[in-house]
């Protein structure tokens, strides 16, 4: 699962190529199976590639619907990945972060949802064994930096991520930097907008899950992405390059 429709189509074609090289029978073409314009679904063998849009509300809808589909299909030994982009904290662009646990803006590893006027909280821990297996792949299969740490899930792109350049801002540069440095000291390696809900819902469903995101900017240095188009394109593929060896090994074990 990833945010962008176009990125997930590229991922689907990337997966198709890698699975064919590994000896799996490939589909003739990658086509969108979704009947809604809210997200796309590409099926490559036993792999689904799905876009989830931006933010917790969007991903929560997609997760509910994909989990139901897999249940109706009788799928078992399912593994979920959220792959995407993020802002790094003290990490240079191009670094891939494997999330240890997802936390909210108060550094709490829990997802809050309002149901019938009441607040419910769900833990957002991820599968540490799965994370370790992905880390092992990083030692042998990739040539870019990979780190393991906490991910902060923000509720919006601007003030919620301590940016000064939105339509509204009620803090200054010094307050922004103090906050970012504080969460860095608390173990946060990157910031994005979906991990908290993703981790909590997968845990609630009993699904093994991991969050693997590349950083496009070091937020301790700047707020805006200044990468070349070529680097931007290549960096976005890095999370998929990291998890592909795991996917292939998992399929070989379960076929």
């Amino acid at each position: 699962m990833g945010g962008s429709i176009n990125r997930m189509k590229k991922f689907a074609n990337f997966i198709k190529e890698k699975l064919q090289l590994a000896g799996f029978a490939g589909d003739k073409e990658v086509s969108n199976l979704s009947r809604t314009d809210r997200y796309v679904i590409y099926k490559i063998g036993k792999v689904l590639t799905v876009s989830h849009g931006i933010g917790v509300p969007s991903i929560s809808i997609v997760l509910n619907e994909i989990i139901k589909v897999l249940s109706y299909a009788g799928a078992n030994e399912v593994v979920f990945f959220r792959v995407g982009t993020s802002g790094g904290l003290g990490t240079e662009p191009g670094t891939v972060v494997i999330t240890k646990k997802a936390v909210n803006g108060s550094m709490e590893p829990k997802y809050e949802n309002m149901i019938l006027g009441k607040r419910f909280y769900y833990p957002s821990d991820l599968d540490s064994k799965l994370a370790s297996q992905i880390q092992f792949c990083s030692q042998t299969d990739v040539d870019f930096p990979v780190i393991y740490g906490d991910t902060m899930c923000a509720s919006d792109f601007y003030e919620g991520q301590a940016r000064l350049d939105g339509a509204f801002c009620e803090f200054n540069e010094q307050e922004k930097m103090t906050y970012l440095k504080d969460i860095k000291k608390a173990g946060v390696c990157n910031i994005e907008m979906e991990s908290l809900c993703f981790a909590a819902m997968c845990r609630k469903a009993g699904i093994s899950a991991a969050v693997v995101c590349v950083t496009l900017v070091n937020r301790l240095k700047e707020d805006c992405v200044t990468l070349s188009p070529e680097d931007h394109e290549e960096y976005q593929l890095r999370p998929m390059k990291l998890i592909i060896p795991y996917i292939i090994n998992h399929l070989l074990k379960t076929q």
Side-chain angles (χ1 to χ4, degrees), residues 1-3 52 80-85 192 194 198 210-213:
M1 309 187 83
H52 56 60
F80 275 23
F81 291 98
R82 154 148 163 74
V83 292
T85 59
E192 47 84 90
E194 294 85 20
F198 174 83
V211 177
V212 183
C213 291

Side-chain angles (χ1 to χ4, degrees), residues 22-52:
F24 292 93
D27 301 316
K28 292 183 178 180
E29 61 178 315
V30 173
S31 57
N32 177 22
L33 302 180
S34 175
R35 295 184 179 181
T36 174
D37 59 2
R38 291 185 291 113
Y39 54 84
V40 295
I41 304 173
Y42 297 102
K43 184 178 181 296
I44 309 95
K46 293 184 178 180
V47 181
L48 291 182
T49 304
V50 184
S51 67
H52 56 60

Side-chain angles (χ1 to χ4, degrees), residues 7 32 47 61 65 86 108 131 156 176:
R7 187 189 309 142
N32 177 22
V47 181
I61 296 168
E65 294 174 1
S86 63
E108 300 168 316
D156 81 319
K176 162 198 154 180

Side-chain angles (χ1 to χ4, degrees), residues 10-234:
K10 290 177 183 177
F11 280 179
N13 283 296
F14 179 78
I15 291 169
K16 176 187 174 183
E17 175 188 344
K18 295 302 180 181
L19 290 184
Q20 287 177 341
L21 288 173
F24 292 93
D27 301 316
K28 292 183 178 180
E29 61 178 315
V30 173
S31 57
N32 177 22
L33 302 180
S34 175
R35 295 184 179 181
T36 174
D37 59 2
R38 291 185 291 113
Y39 54 84
V40 295
I41 304 173
Y42 297 102
K43 184 178 181 296
I44 309 95
K46 293 184 178 180
V47 181
L48 291 182
T49 304
V50 184
S51 67
H52 56 60
I54 299 175
V56 164
S58 178
I59 196 173
S60 69
I61 296 168
V62 178
L63 280 168
N64 267 285
E65 294 174 1
I66 293 299
I67 289 170
K68 287 194 295 181
V69 165
L70 292 172
S71 177
Y72 296 150
N76 53 46
E77 298 188 64
V78 175
V79 180
F80 275 23
F81 291 98
R82 154 148 163 74
V83 292
T85 59
S86 63
L89 290 177
T91 59
E92 292 307 307
T95 302
V96 174
V97 180
I98 303 170
T99 301
K100 181 178 181 181
K101 65 176 180 289
V103 299
N104 60 25
S106 298
M107 300 300 97
E108 300 168 316
K110 60 183 182 181
Y111 166 57
E112 176 185 321
N113 197 15
M114 289 288 292
I115 303 172
L116 301 180
K118 299 178 181 178
R119 297 179 188 274
F120 289 81
Y121 298 94
Y122 304 95
S124 54
D125 300 302
L126 289 153
D127 186 338
S128 59
K129 182 179 178 181
L130 176 59
S132 296
Q133 291 172 321
I134 302 168
Q135 277 185 289
F136 178 77
C137 294
S138 73
Q139 299 169 15
T140 56
D141 295 300
V142 298
D143 59 357
F144 46 79
V146 178
I147 60 176
Y148 183 51
D150 295 345
T151 295
M152 191 192 92
C153 180
S155 59
D156 81 319
F157 187 77
Y158 290 99
E159 287 183 300
Q161 296 190 39
R163 281 189 166 86
L164 299 165
D165 58 350
F168 310 98
C169 188
E170 299 181 14
F171 50 85
N172 58 37
E173 175 72 20
Q174 182 178 349
E175 291 171 316
K176 162 198 154 180
M177 292 306 300
T178 297
Y179 175 72
L180 292 179
K181 289 177 181 178
D182 283 346
I183 64 174
K184 170 66 176 173
K185 289 178 184 177
V188 172
C189 293
N190 62 334
I191 304 172
E192 47 84 90
M193 297 178 63
E194 294 85 20
S195 58
L196 198 67
C197 174
F198 174 83
M201 288 185 66
C202 287
R203 190 178 190 277
K204 188 177 181 182
I207 295 171
S208 180
V211 177
V212 183
C213 291
V214 67
T215 60
L216 298 182
V217 60
N218 181 355
R219 291 297 314 287
L220 297 184
K221 292 183 179 180
E222 55 189 345
D223 287 346
C224 297
V225 176
T226 56
L227 298 172
S228 68
E230 294 77 18
D231 284 343
H232 193 275
E233 186 77 12
E234 194 273 319

